[in-house]
Amino acid sequence: GAADYGHDQKNVKMVCDDVRSMKMPMKVAGLFVCGMVLFVNALGFSAYETITTPLVKNDFGWDLFYADVLFVAAGIVCILVFFIIKCTSASVEDRYLLLCGVVFSTIGYGLMLEFFDNRLPLPRFLMGFAAVNAAMELNRSVTMSLASKILHPKSPNHGLLQGMLISCVACARIIGPVYAVWVWDATDTTRFSQGHWVFLGLFVCFIITTIVYGACFSVLRPYKVLYEEWLTEEEEIQGKKHALKTPLLKTKLDRYQHGPKIRTG
Protein backbone atom coordinates (compact mmCIF):
# COMPACT_ATOMS: atom_id res chain seq x y z
CA GLY A 1 0.00 0.00 0.00
CA ALA A 2 0.93 3.64 0.31
CA ALA A 3 2.80 3.04 3.56
CA ASP A 4 4.98 0.35 1.98
CA TYR A 5 5.64 2.57 -1.03
CA GLY A 6 6.70 5.45 1.21
CA HIS A 7 8.94 3.15 3.21
CA ASP A 8 10.57 1.85 0.03
CA GLN A 9 11.12 5.37 -1.24
CA LYS A 10 12.79 6.31 2.04
CA ASN A 11 15.09 3.28 1.84
CA VAL A 12 16.02 4.12 -1.75
CA LYS A 13 16.83 7.70 -0.75
CA MET A 14 19.02 6.50 2.14
CA VAL A 15 20.93 4.14 -0.15
CA CYS A 16 21.41 6.90 -2.74
CA ASP A 17 22.67 9.29 -0.05
CA ASP A 18 25.12 6.65 1.25
CA VAL A 19 26.43 5.96 -2.25
CA ARG A 20 26.79 9.66 -2.99
CA SER A 21 28.48 10.39 0.32
CA MET A 22 31.06 7.69 -0.37
CA LYS A 23 32.24 9.80 -3.31
CA MET A 24 33.48 12.56 -0.99
CA PRO A 25 37.28 12.49 -0.73
CA MET A 26 38.58 11.36 2.65
CA LYS A 27 40.01 14.18 4.76
CA VAL A 28 43.46 12.64 5.18
CA ALA A 29 44.86 15.84 6.69
CA GLY A 30 42.48 15.60 9.64
CA LEU A 31 43.39 11.98 10.32
CA PHE A 32 47.10 12.81 10.01
CA VAL A 33 46.78 15.60 12.58
CA CYS A 34 44.98 13.26 14.99
CA GLY A 35 47.81 10.74 14.68
CA MET A 36 50.39 13.49 15.12
CA VAL A 37 48.74 14.81 18.30
CA LEU A 38 48.52 11.31 19.78
CA PHE A 39 52.16 10.57 18.94
CA VAL A 40 53.57 13.82 20.36
CA ASN A 41 51.29 13.59 23.39
CA ALA A 42 52.46 10.06 24.26
CA LEU A 43 56.07 10.98 23.47
CA GLY A 44 55.97 13.84 25.94
CA PHE A 45 54.20 11.84 28.62
CA SER A 46 56.63 8.91 28.49
CA ALA A 47 59.65 11.24 28.37
CA TYR A 48 58.79 13.44 31.35
CA GLU A 49 57.52 10.40 33.28
CA THR A 50 61.00 8.91 32.87
CA ILE A 51 62.96 11.91 34.15
CA THR A 52 60.60 13.33 36.77
CA THR A 53 61.97 11.33 39.70
CA PRO A 54 65.67 12.14 39.10
CA LEU A 55 64.74 15.73 38.22
CA VAL A 56 62.93 16.48 41.48
CA LYS A 57 65.71 14.73 43.38
CA ASN A 58 68.48 16.78 41.73
CA ASP A 59 66.74 20.16 41.48
CA PHE A 60 64.58 20.20 44.60
CA GLY A 61 66.15 17.60 46.89
CA TRP A 62 63.00 15.46 47.05
CA ASP A 63 63.11 11.81 48.02
CA LEU A 64 61.17 9.00 46.35
CA PHE A 65 58.11 9.44 48.57
CA TYR A 66 57.47 13.02 47.42
CA ALA A 67 57.98 11.98 43.80
CA ASP A 68 55.30 9.34 44.30
CA VAL A 69 52.98 11.92 45.83
CA LEU A 70 53.51 14.09 42.75
CA PHE A 71 52.42 11.25 40.45
CA VAL A 72 49.38 10.58 42.63
CA ALA A 73 48.41 14.23 42.29
CA ALA A 74 48.90 13.92 38.53
CA GLY A 75 46.48 10.98 38.48
CA ILE A 76 43.88 13.02 40.36
CA VAL A 77 44.24 15.82 37.81
CA CYS A 78 43.64 13.33 34.97
CA ILE A 79 40.46 12.07 36.67
CA LEU A 80 39.16 15.63 37.06
CA VAL A 81 39.90 16.36 33.40
CA PHE A 82 38.00 13.22 32.39
CA PHE A 83 34.86 14.48 34.18
CA ILE A 84 35.31 17.94 32.63
CA ILE A 85 35.42 16.34 29.17
CA LYS A 86 32.27 14.37 29.94
CA CYS A 87 30.41 17.51 31.00
CA THR A 88 31.55 19.73 28.12
CA SER A 89 31.72 17.34 25.15
CA ALA A 90 27.99 17.69 24.41
CA SER A 91 28.17 21.47 24.03
CA VAL A 92 31.74 22.05 22.79
CA GLU A 93 33.16 20.70 19.52
CA ASP A 94 35.96 18.16 19.82
CA ARG A 95 38.32 20.29 17.76
CA TYR A 96 38.04 23.17 20.26
CA LEU A 97 38.63 20.85 23.21
CA LEU A 98 41.64 19.37 21.46
CA LEU A 99 42.94 22.85 20.65
CA CYS A 100 42.87 23.61 24.38
CA GLY A 101 44.81 20.41 25.06
CA VAL A 102 47.51 21.15 22.47
CA VAL A 103 47.93 24.74 23.69
CA PHE A 104 48.03 23.66 27.35
CA SER A 105 50.72 21.10 26.53
CA THR A 106 52.82 23.73 24.77
CA ILE A 107 52.44 26.14 27.68
CA GLY A 108 53.18 23.40 30.22
CA TYR A 109 56.48 22.37 28.63
CA GLY A 110 57.36 26.04 28.18
CA LEU A 111 56.87 26.67 31.89
CA MET A 112 59.30 23.87 32.73
CA LEU A 113 62.14 25.45 30.74
CA GLU A 114 64.97 27.32 32.43
CA PHE A 115 65.51 30.81 31.09
CA PHE A 116 68.34 32.93 32.59
CA ASP A 117 68.85 31.83 36.16
CA ASN A 118 69.98 28.27 35.37
CA ARG A 119 67.38 26.97 37.79
CA LEU A 120 63.76 25.90 37.53
CA PRO A 121 61.64 27.42 40.32
CA LEU A 122 59.44 24.89 42.08
CA PRO A 123 56.13 26.82 41.60
CA ARG A 124 56.74 27.10 37.87
CA PHE A 125 57.63 23.42 37.63
CA LEU A 126 54.44 22.42 39.46
CA MET A 127 52.32 24.67 37.22
CA GLY A 128 53.89 23.21 34.10
CA PHE A 129 53.59 19.66 35.44
CA ALA A 130 49.88 20.16 36.19
CA ALA A 131 49.22 21.71 32.76
CA VAL A 132 50.97 18.87 30.94
CA ASN A 133 49.10 16.19 32.90
CA ALA A 134 45.73 17.84 32.36
CA ALA A 135 46.43 18.27 28.65
CA MET A 136 47.71 14.70 28.32
CA GLU A 137 44.35 13.19 29.29
CA LEU A 138 42.46 15.76 27.24
CA ASN A 139 44.54 15.10 24.11
CA ARG A 140 44.29 11.33 24.40
CA SER A 141 40.54 11.11 24.97
CA VAL A 142 39.37 13.77 22.53
CA THR A 143 41.69 12.77 19.68
CA MET A 144 40.33 9.23 19.54
CA SER A 145 36.78 10.58 19.52
CA LEU A 146 37.49 13.19 16.86
CA ALA A 147 39.29 10.77 14.54
CA SER A 148 36.38 8.34 14.57
CA LYS A 149 33.97 11.14 13.63
CA ILE A 150 36.03 12.31 10.63
CA LEU A 151 35.54 8.98 8.84
CA HIS A 152 32.27 8.01 7.13
CA PRO A 153 30.02 6.35 9.76
CA LYS A 154 29.72 3.23 7.59
CA SER A 155 33.34 3.16 6.46
CA PRO A 156 35.03 -0.26 6.78
CA ASN A 157 38.24 1.48 7.84
CA HIS A 158 37.27 2.36 11.42
CA GLY A 159 39.09 -0.63 12.83
CA LEU A 160 42.17 0.13 10.73
CA LEU A 161 42.12 3.76 11.89
CA GLN A 162 41.93 2.83 15.57
CA GLY A 163 44.76 0.36 15.11
CA MET A 164 46.96 2.98 13.43
CA LEU A 165 46.27 5.53 16.17
CA ILE A 166 47.10 3.02 18.89
CA SER A 167 50.28 2.15 16.98
CA CYS A 168 51.26 5.84 17.05
CA VAL A 169 50.89 5.82 20.82
CA ALA A 170 52.84 2.57 21.17
CA CYS A 171 55.73 3.86 19.05
CA ALA A 172 55.84 7.09 21.04
CA ARG A 173 55.90 5.17 24.33
CA ILE A 174 58.98 3.33 23.05
CA ILE A 175 60.79 6.39 21.69
CA GLY A 176 59.98 8.72 24.62
CA PRO A 177 62.04 7.04 27.36
CA VAL A 178 64.93 6.40 24.96
CA TYR A 179 64.93 10.08 23.97
CA ALA A 180 64.72 11.27 27.59
CA VAL A 181 67.56 9.06 28.84
CA TRP A 182 69.78 9.86 25.87
CA VAL A 183 69.33 13.63 26.26
CA TRP A 184 69.69 13.38 30.05
CA ASP A 185 73.05 11.62 29.76
CA ALA A 186 74.42 13.50 26.74
CA THR A 187 73.77 17.16 27.58
CA ASP A 188 76.16 19.58 29.24
CA THR A 189 74.87 20.87 32.58
CA THR A 190 77.21 23.86 32.94
CA ARG A 191 74.57 26.29 31.72
CA PHE A 192 71.24 24.45 31.94
CA SER A 193 70.12 21.34 33.78
CA GLN A 194 69.48 18.02 32.08
CA GLY A 195 65.73 18.37 32.44
CA HIS A 196 65.79 21.67 30.55
CA TRP A 197 67.08 20.03 27.37
CA VAL A 198 64.51 17.22 27.55
CA PHE A 199 61.65 19.68 27.99
CA LEU A 200 63.06 21.94 25.26
CA GLY A 201 62.77 19.14 22.70
CA LEU A 202 59.20 18.41 23.77
CA PHE A 203 58.34 22.11 23.70
CA VAL A 204 59.57 22.36 20.09
CA CYS A 205 57.54 19.25 19.15
CA PHE A 206 54.37 20.83 20.51
CA ILE A 207 55.09 24.17 18.85
CA ILE A 208 55.23 22.38 15.50
CA THR A 209 52.10 20.38 16.36
CA THR A 210 50.21 23.55 17.29
CA ILE A 211 51.11 25.16 13.96
CA VAL A 212 50.04 22.09 11.96
CA TYR A 213 46.86 21.81 14.03
CA GLY A 214 45.95 25.42 13.31
CA ALA A 215 46.61 24.96 9.59
CA CYS A 216 44.27 21.92 9.44
CA PHE A 217 41.67 23.24 11.89
CA SER A 218 38.93 23.55 9.26
CA VAL A 219 38.95 19.82 8.42
CA LEU A 220 38.85 18.63 12.03
CA ARG A 221 35.08 18.25 12.08
CA PRO A 222 32.59 15.38 11.97
CA TYR A 223 31.95 13.68 8.64
CA LYS A 224 28.35 14.91 8.50
CA VAL A 225 29.42 18.55 8.59
CA LEU A 226 32.19 18.01 6.06
CA TYR A 227 29.82 16.11 3.77
CA GLU A 228 27.20 18.89 3.84
CA GLU A 229 29.86 21.44 2.89
CA TRP A 230 31.17 19.20 0.12
CA LEU A 231 27.64 18.63 -1.18
CA THR A 232 27.00 22.38 -1.27
CA GLU A 233 30.24 22.95 -3.18
CA GLU A 234 29.38 20.19 -5.65
CA GLU A 235 25.93 21.68 -6.26
CA GLU A 236 27.49 25.11 -6.85
CA ILE A 237 29.97 23.62 -9.33
CA GLN A 238 27.19 21.78 -11.17
CA GLY A 239 25.12 24.97 -11.21
CA LYS A 240 27.99 26.93 -12.77
CA LYS A 241 28.49 24.24 -15.39
CA HIS A 242 24.79 24.31 -16.19
CA ALA A 243 24.86 28.11 -16.41
CA LEU A 244 27.74 27.93 -18.89
CA LYS A 245 26.02 25.29 -21.02
CA THR A 246 22.63 27.07 -21.19
CA PRO A 247 23.70 30.04 -23.41
CA LEU A 248 25.52 27.65 -25.74
CA LEU A 249 22.46 25.43 -26.11
CA LYS A 250 20.27 28.49 -26.65
CA THR A 251 22.60 29.73 -29.39
CA LYS A 252 22.50 26.39 -31.17
CA LEU A 253 18.72 26.29 -30.87
CA ASP A 254 18.40 29.81 -32.31
CA ARG A 255 20.62 28.89 -35.24
CA TYR A 256 18.51 25.83 -35.90
CA GLN A 257 15.25 27.74 -35.71
CA HIS A 258 16.34 30.82 -37.72
CA GLY A 259 18.81 29.19 -40.04
CA PRO A 260 18.37 28.87 -43.78
CA LYS A 261 15.38 26.80 -44.81
CA ILE A 262 15.79 24.00 -47.30
CA ARG A 263 13.20 24.30 -50.04
CA THR A 264 11.60 21.17 -51.33
CA GLY A 265 9.62 20.62 -54.49
Side-chain angles (χ1 to χ4, degrees):
D4 293 336
Y5 177 77
H7 182 71
D8 292 340
Q9 289 291 100
K10 184 178 180 181
N11 290 337
V12 170
K13 184 179 182 302
M14 291 175 62
V15 171
C16 291
D17 289 341
D18 287 341
V19 172
R20 190 174 186 182
S21 64
M22 287 292 186
K23 295 181 180 179
M24 189 188 83
M26 183 185 298
K27 300 297 182 180
V28 179
L31 300 177
F32 171 79
V33 171
C34 289
M36 183 179 184
V37 171
L38 277 178
F39 179 85
V40 176
N41 187 64
L43 179 75
F45 174 74
S46 58
Y48 86 76
E49 186 182 44
T50 302
I51 67 167
T52 294
T53 299
L55 184 146
V56 296
K57 181 180 179 181
N58 294 346
D59 290 7
F60 309 123
W62 291 9
D63 57 21
L64 186 60
F65 172 77
Y66 289 105
D68 291 340
V69 171
L70 184 64
F71 282 113
V72 170
I76 295 174
V77 170
C78 290
I79 294 173
L80 293 176
V81 171
F82 175 79
F83 283 106
I84 292 174
I85 295 172
K86 185 177 180 181
C87 295
T88 58
S89 59
S91 56
V92 182
E93 290 185 38
D94 286 346
R95 59 176 181 161
Y96 289 107
L97 290 174
L98 189 54
L99 177 63
C100 292
V102 173
V103 171
F104 263 77
S105 295
T106 308
I107 294 173
Y109 287 115
L111 287 173
M112 290 189 283
L113 296 178
E114 299 169 6
F115 295 100
F116 305 109
D117 54 1
N118 194 25
R119 180 174 175 81
L120 176 62
L122 179 59
R124 185 148 54 84
F125 168 75
L126 293 177
M127 290 172 60
F129 190 83
V132 167
N133 274 277
M136 183 271 298
E137 179 60 33
L138 183 61
N139 293 338
R140 181 172 56 187
S141 301
V142 177
T143 303
M144 299 295 286
S145 171
L146 178 59
S148 65
K149 293 176 182 177
I150 293 176
L151 277 184
H152 190 285
K154 296 183 180 180
S155 172
N157 297 320
H158 279 277
L160 176 62
L161 172 65
Q162 296 297 323
M164 292 178 65
L165 294 178
I166 294 173
S167 297
C168 290
V169 175
C171 291
R173 293 299 298 265
I174 295 172
I175 297 172
V178 175
Y179 157 78
V181 172
W182 177 75
V183 174
W184 185 273
D185 293 337
T187 51
D188 182 15
T189 59
T190 55
R191 186 173 182 182
F192 295 106
S193 69
Q194 296 156 309
H196 167 84
W197 297 111
V198 176
F199 294 137
L200 179 61
L202 299 175
F203 177 71
V204 171
C205 286
F206 267 99
I207 285 288
I208 296 172
T209 303
T210 303
I211 294 172
V212 175
Y213 188 90
C216 300
F217 189 72
S218 61
V219 299
L220 295 170
R221 287 178 292 174
Y223 180 88
K224 182 180 179 181
V225 178
L226 295 174
Y227 172 67
E228 290 175 353
E229 288 188 355
W230 175 80
L231 193 62
T232 302
E233 293 174 358
E234 286 293 305
E235 291 175 350
E236 290 178 354
I237 293 173
Q238 295 299 326
K240 290 179 180 178
K241 289 181 178 179
H242 180 72
L244 292 174
K245 288 181 180 179
T246 300
L248 181 61
L249 292 174
K250 186 175 183 300
T251 302
K252 290 182 178 180
L253 183 61
D254 290 341
R255 287 178 180 175
Y256 176 77
Q257 292 176 342
H258 301 92
K261 305 288 187 180
I262 299 177
R263 296 182 179 179
T264 60

